[in-house]
C-alpha cells in the first residue's frame, strides 16, 4: 500500500476521487497507526500503517490506492496516566471521531476496556489485550448523490408544526410499508408513511437521535438496547440500525433519499442531536474512540482529580467545551448534516451543558458565538432542550436570539390545569399566549416557545390520563428509573379499565390537551402516536424498549380513528385561522388587563372581562379567550395586512358543566362553533351573542364570530368539517381509507 504525506484538513477519511486522505487530531499522543481491515469479520487488521506526518496537532497521511468501502481504525500510543487525565492504550483499535460510515459495530467483550475488568485497581490498571476483533470500525464513504431539484421547505417558524418521532418505531408495525423497509429510513418515506404525515398536516418531523449509537453492554446483557439513541458513538454517521442497506455507503444514500422524499412532501427534517456526552461513559467505561485518542483534550475532567469526569448529564462524561478542537468537531458535524445530508434544523439534547465553559451556564459562550456567525448553521432551525442536570442548568427562557426552546413550563402548567389543580389560571393564560414573560425580554417572538405536553421522555398522552404512577418494571431497574412527578391523573382508575365513563373522560382529556397545544401561540410539537391513542403501559422511560411497547400500532379501532380525525382537524383550524399563528406577542402588553377592543381579551363566564379578583382566585378553572382577527397587526411577505376571523376559545377544566354567557361585540352577530371536545358525533348550532353556551365538564369549545350575511353552515363532529375542506385537506381519511392505505399501494 503506497503512503503519501497527505493533508491535516479536512479531518476524517476523505475520498477525493483518486485516493483517501486520513487525518486525526490528537494533542497528547506519542504515535498513531492507521489500521486497515478487509472485512468486518477480520480478527486482526490486514495492514498497519504508521502515521508519521503531524501538523497543527493533526496526524495525517494519504493512501492513493484506498477506495470507498475501506474499513479502518486507529491505534494511538501515549501515556496511560488516569490521574493526569491520559488513557492511551495502543492495544485498542479506535473509531475515527469523523467516521462518516460504520463498517462494524462494537462486539462487547472485556477487551473493549482500557483497563482490566475485575482488577482491584479498577480503571487505574492497564489492559494489554488486543481488541481488534471487537472494535467498532469506520468505513470510507463516497458522498456522491443525485439530489435533483431538492429544496428545503423553509417553513416560517410561526407556520411550523413539529411531529416528534422515532425512525424505527413509526413504521416497524405498519402493514402498508414493504416489510423489508419497516423500521428504516426508507420506510419513513414509503407512500403509506408519507400519506399519514401529509394527511395529519404537520410541517416538520423531529427525529429522535439518528447519529450512530452504541448499545450499552449492561443493556445488551438484559436483552435491551439504547432504543432512543441518546448514546452517540459517531457524530457524522447515520445509525446503521435504521437502514435496510447492506453497506455504509448505501446507508448514507438511504438517509439522503429519506430527506429528499420528506422535502418533496413539504416536510422539514429536524434532528435530535446529542453533543453533551458520548457513549464511553465515566472512568469505568470502555475505550472506543475519544478516550483512547486523547482523553484530556476531548473530555471535561475534574479540576480536583483528572481521573474523573465532570458530568452535567447523568451519562458519565461531557465534552470539553473550552477546547477549540471539540468545538470544531461539533461545528463540522452540524455543517455536514446540513450541507451533505440536507437536514433543516437541530434540537440539542440537554443544551445547557453545551454552554458550560467553566461551571456556570453562559449564553455568551463560544459555542453560541461560533454557531451564530456560521453562514450555514445560522440559517437553520435551532431548538434547545434548555436544561441539564447540573446546578443552575434549568435555563428555560434564557437562550440567545435565533434559538427556540422546548418550553418545559408550558408542559407542566397545561398538564396541571387540565388535571384540575387550582391556582393555575394566570400562568395558564400566559403560557397559551406564547410565554411572553420568558421570551419577550430578549426580543424574541412567540415561536421561541416550542410548546409540548408530551414528548418521548415521560408519559405519552394516553398514559398521562391513565396512570398516576410510573410502571417501568420492564426496564430492569425495579421501577427506580424515570421521573416520579408526572403531573398526571388517571381519571379514577390506574391503567386499563372497562368503565365506559372513565374511558370517555380519558379521551376527552386527551382532546383537551391536544387542542390546547395546537391552538396556543408558539410552535406546537406533537408526539408520534398521540394522534392514535398509543399507550406504553405506564412506562415513562422507554429508552431501552425496542419492541411493541414503543412501536406504533396501525391497526386502529373506531376511537383511534376518531382521535386521528380530531388532531387532523385542530391542525387544520390552526392553519385556517391566523390568530393562532401570530408572529408577535399581543401588542407587547401584559395579557391581564387587556381592553375588549384589543387583539386579545379574557372573558369570564358572565360574558364580561376578567377582573383581578378572578385571576387571583385559586378555584377558577373556566375562562374564555377572545382573539380579534382584524387586529393582528402584522403583514405578509407582500406587505399586505394579515386578517382573519375573530374567535372565542372556551376552556373548562372544572368537573361540572358551565353555562358560559357569550359576549356581543357586534349587533346581530352570532358565534359559530368550530370545535367542541365533548360533543362527537353531534350537531353544533350557532349561538347568538348574549346567549349561553353550555360547555361540558372538562372540555374546550371554539367559536367563530359571524354575521347574518354569511351563509349558515351545520357542523358535525369535534371539528367543523369545512375547515378541513377549505384548506384542501379533504382527502378521504376515514376508516375505510385508512384500512386501504394499510394494504399497501
Amino acid at each position: 500500500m503506497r503512503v503519501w504525506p497527505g493533508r491535516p484538513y479536512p479531518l476524517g477519511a476523505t475520498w477525493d476521487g483518486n485516493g483517501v486522505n486520513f487525518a486525526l487530531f490528537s494533542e497528547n499522543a506519542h504515535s498513531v497507526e492507521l489500521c486497515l481491515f478487509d472485512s468486518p469479520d477480520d480478527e486482526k487488521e490486514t495492514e498497519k500503517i504508521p502515521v508519521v506526518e503531524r501538523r497543527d496537532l493533526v496526524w495525517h497521511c494519504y493512501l492513493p490506492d484506498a477506495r470507498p468501502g475501506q474499513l479502518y481504525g486507529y491505534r494511538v500510543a501515549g501515556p496511560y496516566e488516569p490521574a493526569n487525565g491520559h488513557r492511551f492504550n495502543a492495544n485498542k483499535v479506535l473509531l475515527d471521531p469523523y467516521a462518516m460510515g460504520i463498517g462494524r459495530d462494537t462486539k462487547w467483550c472485556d477487551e473493549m476496556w482500557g483497563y482490566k475488568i475485575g482488577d482491584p485497581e479498577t480503571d487505574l490498571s492497564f489492559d494489554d489485550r488486543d481488541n481488534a476483533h471487537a472494535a467498532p470500525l469506520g468505513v470510507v464513504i463516497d458522498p456522491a448523490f443525485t439530489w435533483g431539484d431538492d429544496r428545503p421547505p423553509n417553513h416560517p417558524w410561526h407556520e411550523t408544526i413539529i411531529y416528534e418521532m422515532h425512525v424505527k418505531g413509526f413504521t416497524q408495525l405498519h402493514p402498508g410499508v414493504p416489510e423489508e423497509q419497516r423500521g428504516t429510513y426508507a420506510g419513513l418515506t414509503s407512500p403509506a408513511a408519507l400519506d399519514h404525515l401529509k394527511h395529519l398536516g404537520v410541517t416538520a418531523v423531529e427525529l429522535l437521535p439518528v447519529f450512530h449509537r452504541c448499545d450499552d453492554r449492561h443493556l445488551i446483557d438484559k436483552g435491551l438496547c439504547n432504543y432512543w439513541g441518546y448514546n452517540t458513538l459517531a457524530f457524522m454517521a447515520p445509525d446503521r440500525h435504521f437502514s435496510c442497506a447492506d453497506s455504509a455507503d448505501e446507508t448514507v444514500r438511504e438517509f439522503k433519499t429519506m430527506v429528499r422524499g420528506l422535502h418533496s412532501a413539504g416536510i422539514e427534517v429536524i434532528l435530535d442531536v446529542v453533543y453533551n456526552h458520548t457513549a464511553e461513559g465515566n472512568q469505568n467505561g470502555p475505550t472506543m474512540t475519544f478516550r483512547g485518542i486523547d482523553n484530556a483534550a476531548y473530555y471535561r475532567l475534574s479540576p480536583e482529580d483528572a481521573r474523573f469526569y465532570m458530568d452535567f448529564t447523568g451519562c458519565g462524561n461531557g465534552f470539553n467545551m473550552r477546547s477549540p478542537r471539540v468545538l470544531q468537531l461539533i461545528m463540522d458535524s452540524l455543517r455536514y448534516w446540513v450541507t451533505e445530508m440536507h437536514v433543516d434544523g437541530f434540537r440539542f439534547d440537554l443544551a445547557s451543558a453545551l454552554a458550560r465553559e467553566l461551571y456556570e451556564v453562559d449564553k455568551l459562550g463560544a459555542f453560541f458565538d461560533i454557531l451564530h456567525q456560521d453562514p450555514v448553521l445560522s440559517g437553520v432551525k435551532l431548538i434547545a432542550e434548555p436544561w441539564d442536570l447540573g446546578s443552575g442548568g434549568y435555563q428555560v427562557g434564557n437562550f440567545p436570539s435565533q434559538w427556540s426552546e422546548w418550553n418545559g413550563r408550558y408542559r407542566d402548567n397545561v398538564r396541571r390545569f387540565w388535571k384540575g389543580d387550582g391556582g393555575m389560571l394566570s400562568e395558564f393564560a400566559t403560557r397559551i399566549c406564547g410565554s411572553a414573560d420568558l421570551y419577550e425580554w430578549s426580543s424574541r417572538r412567540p415561536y421561541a416557545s416550542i410548546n409540548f405536553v408530551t414528548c418521548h421522555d415521560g408519559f405519552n398522552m394516553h398514559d398521562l390520563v391513565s396512570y398516576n404512577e410510573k410502571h417501568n418494571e420492564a426496564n430492569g431497574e425495579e421501577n427506580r428509573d424515570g421521573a416520579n412527578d408526572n403531573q398526571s391523573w388517571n381519571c379514577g382508575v390506574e391503567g386499563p379499565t372497562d368503565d365506559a365513563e372513565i374511558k370517555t373522560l380519558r379521551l376527552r382529556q386527551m382532546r383537551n390537551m391536544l387542542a390546547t397545544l395546537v391552538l396556543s401561540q408558539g410552535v406546537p410539537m406533537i408526539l408520534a402516536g398521540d394522534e392514535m391513542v398509543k399507550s406504553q403501559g405506564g412506562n415513562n422511560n422507554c429508552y431501552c424498549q425496542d419492541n411493541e411497547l414503543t412501536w406504533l400500532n396501525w391497526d386502529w379501532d373506531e376511537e383511534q380513528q376518531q382521535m386521528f380525525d380530531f388532531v387532523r382537524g385542530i391542525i387544520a383550524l390552526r392553519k385556517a385561522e391566523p390568530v393562532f399563528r401570530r408572529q408577535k406577542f399581543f401588542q407587547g402588553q401584559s395579557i391581564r388587563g387587556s381592553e375588549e377592543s384589543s387583539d386579545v381579551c379574557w372573558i369570564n363566564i358572565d360574558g364580561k372581562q376578567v377582573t383581578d379578583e378572578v385571576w387571583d382566585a385559586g378555584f377558577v378553572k373556566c375562562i374564555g379567550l377572545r382573539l380579534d382577527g382584524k387586529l393582528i397587526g402584522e403583514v405578509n411577505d407582500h406587505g399586505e395586512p394579515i386578517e382573519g376571523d375573530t374567535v372565542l376559545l372556551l376552556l373548562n377544566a372544572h368537573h361540572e358543566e358551565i353555562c358560559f354567557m357569550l359576549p356581543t361585540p357586534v349587533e346581530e352577530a352570532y358565534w359559530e362553533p368550530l370545535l367542541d371536545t365533548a360533543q362527537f358525533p353531534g350537531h353544533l348550532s350557532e349561538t347568538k351573542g348574549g346567549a349561553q353556551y353550555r360547555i361540558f365538564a372538562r372540555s374546550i369549545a371554539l367559536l367563530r364570530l359571524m354575521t347574518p350575511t354569511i351563509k349558515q353552515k351545520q357542523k358535525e363532529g369535534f371539528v367543523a368539517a369545512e375547515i378541513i375542506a377549505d384548506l384542501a385537506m379533504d382527502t378521504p381519511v376515514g376508516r375505510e381509507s385508512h384500512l386501504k392505505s394499510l394494504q399497501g399501494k
Side-chain angles (χ1 to χ4, degrees):
M1 178 75 70
R2 293 180 295 168
V3 182
W4 296 351
R7 304 178 306 278
Y9 302 99
L11 291 168
T14 306
W15 162 250
D16 62 8
N18 296 305
V20 181
N21 191 80
F22 293 88
L24 179 76
F25 161 74
S26 181
E27 179 179 354
N28 297 296
H30 294 166
S31 64
V32 172
E33 293 176 310
L34 173 63
C35 303
L36 304 182
F37 293 75
D38 290 339
S39 164
D41 298 324
D42 285 351
E43 294 286 316
K44 193 78 174 176
E45 60 265 45
T46 54
E47 191 154 0
K48 188 186 301 183
I49 300 171
V51 182
V52 297
E53 298 293 335
R54 184 174 186 245
R55 188 175 3 144
D56 300 334
L57 306 179
V58 176
W59 304 75
H60 55 91
C61 67
Y62 183 89
L63 304 185
D65 301 316
R67 294 292 181 266
Q70 175 65 62
L71 300 173
Y72 72 101
Y74 290 99
R75 295 184 187 271
V76 182
Y80 188 84
E81 302 170 355
N84 294 321
H86 299 307
R87 296 179 179 270
F88 294 100
N89 188 335
N91 299 296
K92 310 302 176 183
V93 173
L94 306 169
L95 180 68
D96 180 4
Y98 277 72
M100 296 178 185
I102 301 299
R104 184 176 73 189
D105 257 331
T106 304
K107 299 179 181 179
W108 286 121
C109 58
D110 288 355
E111 291 90 329
M112 285 305 303
W113 273 255
Y115 64 93
K116 293 180 180 177
I117 298 291
D119 191 288
E121 293 290 311
T122 62
D123 65 297
L124 296 179
S125 64
F126 183 81
D127 187 83
D128 59 4
R129 291 174 295 177
D130 199 294
N131 77 337
H133 65 288
L137 300 178
V139 61
V140 178
I141 293 297
D142 181 354
F145 182 76
T146 303
W147 283 102
D149 59 354
D150 178 70
R151 295 290 184 275
N154 282 331
H155 295 296
W157 262 124
H158 67 286
E159 295 180 0
T160 297
I161 302 170
I162 299 173
Y163 187 76
E164 191 197 25
M165 65 185 299
H166 189 281
V167 170
K168 181 175 183 179
F170 186 69
T171 63
Q172 182 66 23
L173 297 178
H174 201 310
V177 175
E179 187 171 356
E180 68 277 6
Q181 294 182 1
R182 294 175 192 169
T184 69
Y185 305 121
L188 187 51
T189 48
S190 64
L194 285 180
D195 281 351
H196 180 82
L197 297 173
K198 289 190 293 185
H199 290 157
L200 190 59
V202 296
T203 68
V205 291
E206 183 174 304
L207 304 181
L208 266 66
V210 294
F211 295 0
H212 191 79
R213 73 175 194 260
C214 178
D215 291 323
D216 292 321
R217 188 182 191 180
H218 71 92
L219 290 176
I220 296 295
D221 290 344
K222 296 177 183 178
L224 303 171
C225 69
N226 285 97
Y227 174 70
W228 283 349
Y230 292 91
N231 205 42
T232 306
L233 181 63
F235 291 88
M236 293 191 180
D239 195 330
R240 59 182 289 180
H241 299 97
F242 304 144
S243 175
C244 56
D246 294 327
S247 70
D249 256 354
E250 292 172 343
T251 295
V252 172
R253 285 193 287 271
E254 184 181 338
F255 186 93
K256 292 179 177 180
T257 302
M258 175 197 72
V259 173
R260 186 179 63 190
L262 287 164
H263 283 178
S264 68
I267 298 171
E268 293 179 303
V269 180
I270 299 171
L271 302 186
D272 192 334
V273 293
V274 188
Y275 293 107
N276 53 69
H277 72 280
T278 77
E280 291 186 297
N282 62 16
Q283 71 277 3
N284 296 318
T287 296
M288 297 185 287
T289 175
F290 304 100
R291 176 171 284 135
I293 292 171
D294 200 331
N295 185 69
Y298 277 111
Y299 288 121
R300 185 165 184 179
L301 307 179
S302 170
E304 287 79 25
D305 188 343
R307 174 187 175 187
F308 302 105
Y309 298 84
M310 298 287 284
D311 180 13
F312 297 104
T313 66
C315 299
N317 64 48
F319 268 143
N320 179 13
M321 297 305 294
R322 300 177 65 188
S323 166
R325 290 297 188 175
V326 169
L327 291 170
Q328 179 187 5
L329 169 67
I330 295 175
M331 296 302 154
D332 286 348
S333 170
L334 291 169
R335 277 191 294 268
Y336 174 78
W337 289 96
V338 173
T339 59
E340 281 294 325
M341 301 298 214
H342 286 205
V343 304
D344 304 285
F346 304 95
R347 177 266 190 188
F348 292 81
D349 179 65
L350 300 180
S352 293
L354 302 177
R356 293 183 185 270
E357 292 187 9
L358 295 174
Y359 183 79
E360 302 293 335
V361 177
D362 181 8
K363 72 175 183 179
L364 300 178
F367 171 70
F368 295 121
D369 289 343
I370 296 172
L371 198 63
H372 290 172
Q373 61 80 37
D374 189 279
V376 173
L377 301 177
S378 60
V380 303
K381 287 182 166 66
L382 302 174
I383 303 171
E385 183 185 31
W387 50 78
D388 63 18
L389 301 187
S391 175
Y394 194 79
Q395 293 289 321
V396 173
N398 292 330
F399 272 67
S401 61
Q402 296 180 258
W403 285 77
S404 293
E405 304 174 14
W406 272 26
N407 191 343
R409 292 181 63 178
Y410 177 96
R411 171 200 60 202
D412 297 343
N413 183 264
V414 169
R415 288 184 177 193
R416 294 186 64 190
F417 177 81
W418 285 112
K419 186 159 67 81
D421 289 358
M424 294 289 103
L425 188 62
S426 183
E427 184 180 357
F428 179 75
T430 302
R431 296 292 155 252
I432 68 174
C433 285
S435 296
D437 61 325
L438 299 177
Y439 305 111
E440 191 175 22
W441 68 273
S442 57
S443 299
R444 287 194 281 174
R445 301 290 184 88
Y447 45 77
S449 178
I450 305 297
N451 299 328
F452 67 105
V453 179
T454 59
C455 65
H456 69 277
D457 191 2
F459 283 146
N460 61 11
M461 193 67 73
H462 173 278
D463 292 358
L464 187 65
V465 300
S466 304
Y467 295 90
N468 286 347
E469 308 294 338
K470 65 184 182 182
H471 297 268
N472 298 356
E473 290 80 6
N475 296 351
E477 299 179 42
E478 298 180 346
N479 206 33
R480 294 188 302 268
D481 62 304
N484 293 316
D485 184 12
N486 297 285
Q487 304 295 345
S488 61
W489 177 47
N490 64 19
C491 298
V493 174
E494 187 76 354
T497 180
D498 293 326
D499 188 304
E501 290 187 8
I502 291 178
K503 292 171 69 174
T504 297
L505 175 57
R506 287 176 175 177
L507 290 168
R508 188 160 71 248
Q509 286 286 78
M510 292 178 64
R511 291 192 292 270
N512 290 337
M513 286 186 276
L514 285 164
T516 302
L517 171 64
V518 174
L519 301 182
S520 293
Q521 304 299 324
V523 179
M525 184 183 78
I526 299 169
L527 173 64
D530 282 352
E531 79 278 20
M532 57 184 80
V533 201
K534 166 66 177 173
S535 174
Q536 295 179 162
N539 193 322
N540 73 352
N541 190 32
C542 290
Y543 78 100
C544 57
Q545 298 294 331
D546 185 7
N547 49 52
E548 293 189 7
L549 191 66
T550 54
W551 303 340
L552 301 191
N553 180 6
W554 297 89
D555 183 16
W556 296 353
D557 58 23
E558 185 177 358
E559 287 181 350
Q560 292 173 297
Q561 181 65 54
Q562 288 179 0
M563 187 63 72
F564 174 79
D565 292 340
F566 174 78
V567 176
R568 182 169 177 265
I570 55 177
I571 289 175
L573 276 170
R574 180 181 177 89
K575 292 182 175 182
E577 301 293 352
V579 290
F580 298 122
R581 295 177 282 111
R582 293 180 59 93
Q583 301 176 60
K584 300 177 182 177
F585 289 106
F586 291 101
Q587 296 186 342
Q589 298 176 358
S590 170
I591 298 301
R592 292 172 57 164
S594 300
E595 297 296 329
E596 289 194 17
S597 60
S598 69
D599 48 7
V600 58
C601 183
W602 291 93
I603 309 296
N604 199 2
I605 60 175
D606 59 5
K608 299 178 181 179
Q609 185 178 341
V610 173
T611 64
D612 284 342
E613 291 182 358
V614 174
W615 285 119
D616 297 333
F619 60 85
V620 176
K621 301 175 184 177
C622 182
I623 198 168
L625 170 62
R626 184 177 63 79
L627 302 175
D628 196 317
K630 305 302 180 185
L631 297 177
I632 295 175
E634 299 169 2
V635 297
N636 61 23
D637 291 340
H638 302 289
E640 302 163 338
I642 296 175
E643 293 186 353
D645 295 314
T646 294
V647 299
L648 179 63
L649 186 64
L650 307 181
L651 306 114
N652 181 20
H654 191 49
H655 63 274
E656 295 179 344
E657 68 177 55
I658 291 176
C659 291
F660 202 108
M661 184 66 69
L662 300 179
T664 314
V666 181
E667 187 175 355
E668 295 188 2
Y670 61 90
W671 293 97
E672 178 189 34
L674 299 178
L675 171 153
D676 193 312
T677 61
Q679 300 186 59
F680 182 85
H683 299 284
L684 308 177
S685 58
E686 288 77 8
T687 305
K688 291 184 177 181
Q692 291 183 332
Y693 187 92
R694 182 186 179 193
I695 180 165
F696 289 88
R698 297 191 173 95
S699 68
I700 291 178
L702 177 69
L703 301 93
R704 174 169 57 186
L705 183 65
M706 303 293 286
T707 63
T709 58
I710 300 178
K711 182 179 179 181
Q712 180 174 334
K713 299 178 181 178
Q714 191 178 56
K715 304 296 176 289
E716 182 172 354
F718 289 120
V719 180
E722 84 278 1
I723 291 294
I724 295 176
D726 288 347
L727 285 178
M729 294 177 65
D730 52 353
T731 304
V733 288
R735 182 159 178 78
E736 288 186 11
S737 177
H738 171 69
L739 292 175
K740 183 178 179 181
S741 73
L742 297 185
Q743 297 170 2
K745 301 298 177 181

